[in-house]
Amino acid sequence: MTERPYQICSVCVMDTSDPEISFDDNGQCNHCRDFERLLGTVWFPNEDGARRLDALIELVKSEGRNKHYDCVLGLSGGIDSSYLALKTHEWGLRPLVVHVDAGWNSELAVQNIERIVKHCGYELHTHVVNWEDMRELQLSYLRAAVANQDVPQDHVFFAGLYHFATENNVRYVLDGGNAATEGIFPHAWHGAAMDARNLNAIHKAFGSTPLVDYPRISFSQFYFWYPIVKRMTPLRPLNLMPYSKEQAVGELEGIGWRAYPRKHGESLFTKFFQNYYLPTKFGYDKRRPHLSSLIASGATTREQALDLLLEPLYDANELRRDRQYICRKLRIRDEEFEDLMNRPTHHYTDFDNWDRQYAMMKAVQNQVARLSGRRITRYS
Ligand SMILES: [Zn+2]
């Protein structure tokens, strides 16, 4: 690939660390321009959103009237899912709360989950992932040196959630995903966490033992079996309100939840991966798309974002401690970790993946949408 000169967007803080970024004559990038399209299609921070939210709550309540639960809620302990749990309680919904424990919960995350569940009077179902599987898969990913080291955690989170929902015949699955804080993300950085084909190929190439009971979702389960046969419907209610992190933290602290000192402080691995592995090895700073989303949604200014980007990603002592912890937990020596850090990088497309299947399905969906005038995807 030819090196392109450095450029940063004149409106947000995305830059040429995204190899596919493009700029118009005013220096504005494709990401924050595209964000405007989310308004009124995915994100409704207005009266229309309030109406849609009321209708959604009514629908979930009425369909679940004679059932033990009316929805499933995935709770990681992070700010988005914690806030959503608080809101579902206020709305009077009766979720089956599922936490998927992949082995990396911080102490604070465990405390926060306990506080939320207690405050809301919810029953918590924790699915503990087989640690030997997790370790084996995470080592495969580190050996593969692909950019998205969070796939083993993210995939099992949704696999656990969706399996649980369909097993218990609950149709609506709520998650804390939202456009306001994560609407901007460069697709060139990595592939889909739900792509089990890619996950299996990476493990086949770099794993040392087969996975025993790590739950996976296949392409046909994800796009056909769950949404069409089982009629499972994922919902993102935070997109139906003007979601603000500051306000969310304020409300959550009111019930004893405590904010994480660093983004994704709920998972020690995600924190280390996003603040050390990814920027060091790939030059990707995840604060950029996050802050750009906040600029585009009006929650912060470009000046504030640029200031925040000047702050170090890690405190040196904290980094040393976290690195030691991660090596100990993965049962590797520090030199082995250093060796993994120095491995040649791969792009996820160097391994078998579902991109072609996905493109074919999208083409069919778009054709149907054109003919029927309806959007038919269930995932946003
Ligand atoms: Zn931009």
Short mmCIF file of all heavy atoms in Angstrom, two decimals, residues 9-14 28-33 184 292, ligand 1:
data_model
loop_
_atom_site.label_atom_id
_atom_site.label_comp_id
_atom_site.label_asym_id
_atom_site.label_seq_id
_atom_site.Cartn_x
_atom_site.Cartn_y
_atom_site.Cartn_z
N CYS A 9 -9.68 15.24 9.75
CA CYS A 9 -10.93 15.88 9.34
C CYS A 9 -11.05 17.28 9.96
O CYS A 9 -10.64 17.49 11.10
CB CYS A 9 -12.10 15.00 9.76
SG CYS A 9 -13.70 15.72 9.44
N SER A 10 -11.64 18.20 9.20
CA SER A 10 -11.78 19.57 9.71
C SER A 10 -12.99 19.71 10.64
O SER A 10 -13.14 20.72 11.31
CB SER A 10 -11.91 20.54 8.53
OG SER A 10 -13.03 20.17 7.74
N VAL A 11 -13.84 18.67 10.69
CA VAL A 11 -15.03 18.75 11.53
C VAL A 11 -14.94 17.81 12.73
O VAL A 11 -15.23 18.20 13.86
CB VAL A 11 -16.31 18.43 10.70
CG1 VAL A 11 -17.55 18.44 11.58
CG2 VAL A 11 -16.45 19.43 9.55
N CYS A 12 -14.53 16.55 12.50
CA CYS A 12 -14.37 15.61 13.61
C CYS A 12 -12.87 15.33 13.82
O CYS A 12 -12.04 16.13 13.38
CB CYS A 12 -15.19 14.33 13.37
SG CYS A 12 -14.55 13.24 12.09
N VAL A 13 -12.52 14.24 14.48
CA VAL A 13 -11.09 13.97 14.72
C VAL A 13 -10.62 12.68 14.06
O VAL A 13 -9.59 12.13 14.42
CB VAL A 13 -10.73 13.97 16.23
CG1 VAL A 13 -10.84 15.38 16.80
CG2 VAL A 13 -11.61 13.01 17.03
N MET A 14 -11.41 12.18 13.09
CA MET A 14 -10.94 11.01 12.34
C MET A 14 -9.80 11.46 11.42
O MET A 14 -9.79 12.59 10.95
CB MET A 14 -12.08 10.41 11.51
CG MET A 14 -13.10 9.62 12.33
SD MET A 14 -12.36 8.33 13.37
CE MET A 14 -11.66 7.25 12.12
N GLN A 28 -13.78 17.92 5.13
CA GLN A 28 -14.64 17.09 5.99
C GLN A 28 -14.58 15.63 5.53
O GLN A 28 -14.56 15.36 4.33
CB GLN A 28 -16.10 17.59 5.96
CG GLN A 28 -16.97 16.81 6.95
CD GLN A 28 -18.42 17.28 7.01
OE1 GLN A 28 -18.87 18.07 6.17
NE2 GLN A 28 -19.16 16.77 7.98
N CYS A 29 -14.57 14.71 6.50
CA CYS A 29 -14.41 13.30 6.14
C CYS A 29 -15.75 12.62 5.89
O CYS A 29 -16.81 13.13 6.25
CB CYS A 29 -13.63 12.55 7.22
SG CYS A 29 -14.60 12.10 8.66
N ASN A 30 -15.67 11.44 5.27
CA ASN A 30 -16.88 10.67 4.96
C ASN A 30 -17.62 10.24 6.23
O ASN A 30 -18.84 10.14 6.24
CB ASN A 30 -16.52 9.44 4.13
CG ASN A 30 -15.47 8.56 4.79
OD1 ASN A 30 -14.40 9.04 5.17
ND2 ASN A 30 -15.77 7.29 4.95
N HIS A 31 -16.88 10.02 7.34
CA HIS A 31 -17.53 9.50 8.55
C HIS A 31 -18.53 10.47 9.14
O HIS A 31 -19.67 10.11 9.40
CB HIS A 31 -16.49 9.14 9.61
CG HIS A 31 -15.60 8.01 9.20
ND1 HIS A 31 -16.07 6.73 9.02
CD2 HIS A 31 -14.28 7.97 8.90
CE1 HIS A 31 -15.07 5.94 8.65
NE2 HIS A 31 -13.98 6.67 8.56
N CYS A 32 -18.08 11.72 9.37
CA CYS A 32 -19.03 12.64 10.03
C CYS A 32 -20.09 13.12 9.04
O CYS A 32 -21.18 13.50 9.45
CB CYS A 32 -18.32 13.77 10.76
SG CYS A 32 -17.21 14.76 9.79
N ARG A 33 -19.78 13.06 7.73
CA ARG A 33 -20.82 13.37 6.74
C ARG A 33 -21.88 12.27 6.76
O ARG A 33 -23.07 12.53 6.77
CB ARG A 33 -20.21 13.50 5.36
CG ARG A 33 -20.59 14.78 4.66
CD ARG A 33 -19.82 15.00 3.38
NE ARG A 33 -19.35 13.81 2.72
CZ ARG A 33 -18.08 13.54 2.48
NH1 ARG A 33 -17.14 14.38 2.85
NH2 ARG A 33 -17.73 12.44 1.87
N ILE A 184 -19.87 6.44 14.63
CA ILE A 184 -18.76 6.50 13.68
C ILE A 184 -17.79 5.38 14.00
O ILE A 184 -17.32 5.26 15.13
CB ILE A 184 -18.04 7.88 13.77
CG1 ILE A 184 -18.96 8.96 13.17
CG2 ILE A 184 -16.69 7.84 13.05
CD1 ILE A 184 -18.39 10.37 13.21
N SER A 292 -15.26 11.30 17.76
CA SER A 292 -15.88 11.82 16.54
C SER A 292 -17.39 11.62 16.57
O SER A 292 -18.15 12.48 16.11
CB SER A 292 -15.27 11.15 15.29
OG SER A 292 -13.91 11.50 15.19
ZN ZN B 1 -15.07 13.92 10.03
#
